[in-house]
Amino acid sequence: AFWGSPFDDSVWVRSDNADGGRLAVERLLKAGAKEVVFVGDTASSQRQFSERYEGYRSAIEAAGLVASDPLVSEGEDRVS
């Protein structure tokens, strides 16, 4: 598996971050969660955060709820 752009000469697998975010929210709501928030910096150079937020927002809105703005924690992320 590769994060970011895969190498052209390699076999690779990439996760579907938007669908993963959507599935996670759907599961939480089905289990009875009353409020689901997204934690992650959608302005990060790592696009998986914004992709996951899109999935989060899609599922929240499909459930008739209002998506909250992302919560961004203080501190280091994986980018050096």
Side-chain angles (χ1 to χ4, degrees), residues 19-64:
D19 203 35
R22 180 188 60 76
L23 289 169
V25 171
E26 288 173 351
R27 175 72 181 233
L28 290 167
L29 293 174
K30 185 176 180 179
K34 302 293 181 205
E35 182 179 358
V36 180
V37 298
F38 180 87
V39 179
D41 186 357
T42 58
S44 171
S45 62
Q46 298 183 53
R47 71 180 188 204
Q48 68 262 27
F49 295 115
S50 60
E51 292 171 352
R52 291 173 188 157
Y53 180 75
E54 289 305 314
Y56 157 82
R57 194 177 72 193
S58 172
I60 288 291
E61 291 173 355

